[in-house]
Amino acid sequence: VYIEHQTFTCNNPGTAESSCDNVIGPNLVETCGYGCNEGTCNIPQVEIISPGNNEIIKENTFLLSFNTIDWEVLGKGNNHIHFHIDNVPGLSFSDHLMFYNGEEVIELNFVPGPTDFATWINNNTLRFNNIPNGMHKIRAHLATSSHQSPGNPESSTEITIEVQACVDDDNDSYGNFCDLGLDCNDNNPNINPISSESCDLVDNDCNGMVDENNGNCSSNEICTNGSCTPVECSQDSDCD
């Protein structure tokens, strides 16, 4: 960065012919590592637009969008961006998910070709794939052609998210983190809060009781030990 600087020179000092000259010219006041704009050094920055910090995400696969300032995300051999995520099997927080716009790909560390953990979507969006339920920290940081950070604090950002995707092993729409609610038995699609109670020694409707309302046996049967048993009457008073 240069500014206009005025330099004065005294000619023949201490004599009757003394005079002063001045020269106005550029003077270097700061060297910018990543260019300048109108006399101010560029500050490479990255921010995660979505998801937001501390956001709860209801899917195991989700999109992340970002924005950069004073930094063009290009392809291999140029400026790009790295992502990190923790608590993912097979992936550590120190692993680099390298986002390249030139090749439209995300590579894991220095392994050529796409990775299963994330997918390139567009110039400022990627998709994380099959992220397990739980808390996760996500970091994005700018990277030079040699995979080094510019070094300024604004060149890196970090958020925390929680994945709460519906766990429904029996596909009856009930389960942990499911919109309809919990399932008391996620291994049997016929057992859930909207199922009808049966006479079978099982809590079919997840209300904490077994074979209530006579297990929905017919009017001439009684639910006994998990079976609807016909009622036999020897006289009318036995059936009251």
Side-chain angles (χ1 to χ4, degrees):
V1 175
Y2 291 84
I3 63 171
E4 293 296 320
H5 183 75
Q6 190 171 16
T7 303
F8 292 90
T9 303
C10 184
N11 303 311
N12 302 314
T15 69
E17 290 80 18
S18 64
S19 63
C20 289
D21 294 332
N22 70 84
V23 177
I24 299 176
N27 184 50
L28 180 65
V29 295
E30 186 178 4
T31 301
C32 300
Y34 299 96
C36 63
N37 183 26
E38 297 183 352
T40 302
C41 286
N42 291 336
I43 302 176
Q45 302 175 55
V46 60
E47 58 179 343
I48 295 175
I49 304 300
S50 175
N53 191 33
N54 296 318
E55 183 172 333
I56 294 176
I57 299 175
K58 302 296 288 184
E59 301 289 339
N60 296 114
T61 296
F62 57 90
L63 298 178
L64 182 146
S65 62
F66 63 91
N67 182 49
T68 61
I69 300 173
D70 295 335
W71 192 268
E72 187 176 4
V73 180
L74 300 170
K76 292 182 180 181
N78 293 284
N79 293 342
H80 54 288
I81 186 168
H82 290 188
F83 289 90
H84 308 261
I85 185 169
D86 68 354
N87 296 331
V88 176
L91 194 68
S92 73
F93 195 61
S94 60
D95 285 322
H96 298 256
L97 294 167
M98 301 177 178
F99 184 102
Y100 297 115
N101 274 337
E103 289 74 19
E104 299 185 355
V105 69
I106 296 177
E107 295 184 349
L108 175 60
N109 298 327
F110 297 98
V111 179
T115 174
D116 293 334
F117 294 105
T119 304
W120 189 97
I121 299 298
N122 59 39
N123 285 355
N124 64 349
T125 306
L126 68 152
R127 185 182 70 228
F128 283 105
N129 301 320
N130 301 316
I131 305 302
N133 281 1
M135 303 296 297
H136 299 277
K137 182 169 55 178
I138 299 175
R139 177 184 296 160
H141 72 82
L142 305 179
T144 65
S145 59
S146 59
H147 305 285
Q148 301 300 309
S149 169
N152 59 299
E154 298 87 353
S155 66
S156 178
T157 188
E158 188 172 295
I159 64 170
T160 298
I161 61 164
E162 183 174 2
V163 177
Q164 293 185 357
C166 173
V167 179
D168 180 17
D169 292 335
D170 58 7
N171 297 314
D172 63 359
S173 299
Y174 290 86
N176 199 24
F177 299 126
C178 297
D179 291 338
L180 292 181
L182 294 173
D183 193 342
C184 60
N185 185 337
D186 212 21
N187 297 311
N188 188 334
N190 298 315
I191 298 176
N192 57 60
I194 62 170
S195 291
S196 297
E197 190 67 19
S198 299
C199 182
D200 54 8
L201 298 178
V202 174
D203 180 12
N204 305 99
D205 55 8
C206 296
N207 67 351
M209 296 183 288
V210 173
D211 296 349
E212 72 273 18
N213 298 321
N214 197 35
N216 286 316
C217 294
S218 64
S219 59
N220 62 343
E221 294 179 322
I222 185 170
C223 180
T224 305
N225 297 324
S227 298
C228 291
T229 304
V231 177
E232 298 180 0
C233 306
S234 60
Q235 55 186 6
D236 290 343
S237 59
D238 292 337
C239 299
D240 292 338

